[in-house]
Amino acid sequence: MISVLRGRVPVPDLPPRPEQIEFAQLPVLVMGGLAAALIIVFTWHVCAVIIGRSRSQNAFRTAILLGAPAIALVIAAGITDTVQRHLRGQQIDRWSDLEYDAMTDSIAVLEDSYGITLTQNPPFVPVVPREWPSEQPVTLADGSPTTCWFATTDGFYTVRCGDTEDTATPLEPVAP
């Protein structure tokens, strides 16, 4: 394996990507738990009325007082969960826009620094550290087409060009 020459172009420092909500958040769980408790008490009360062991003087009023809050809590939990997921989706969208802007800026700097032109449409270089390089077709400064491998190593981009990742050689920056 050929040693990798550290490039002079720094990898953008992006905040961590917000995670998608996989499971309900705490407020939704609390509302759901309260609704479940009310539904259990409501069911117990209805069963007591059916078998004739209800101690309530107005069984219908008691059922309403137990059922209405349970329904309201279920609806509130659903709305809260939907709002939380929507807000998280907006955070992820904003992060994706930030990532795209950082990638566009990085591509421009890499093209200037190394005298290359990325020919894939749309071009792509990694903007978050990762363990594998990104393969991209490029045109070198002399006009010859080739494949380059863009990696993030120690906070900087490394650019190696060649037919395969194993045979690629480091590309020297042309700009100081």
Side-chain angles (χ1 to χ4, degrees), residues 17-26 28 80-89 91-92:
R17 183 179 193 275
E19 294 294 323
Q20 190 77 302
I21 294 177
E22 298 293 329
F23 193 69
Q25 300 290 313
L26 184 62
V28 174
T80 302
D81 188 57
T82 301
V83 167
Q84 287 176 338
R85 289 177 190 274
H86 178 72
L87 291 175
R88 183 58 59 91
Q91 288 176 342
I92 291 170

Side-chain angles (χ1 to χ4, degrees), residues 143-168:
S144 60
T146 189
T147 299
C148 287
W149 305 85
F150 296 86
T152 56
T153 307
D154 298 328
F156 291 91
Y157 283 103
T158 55
V159 181
R160 297 181 300 139
C161 296
D163 292 333
T164 66
E165 182 183 356
D166 295 331
T167 62

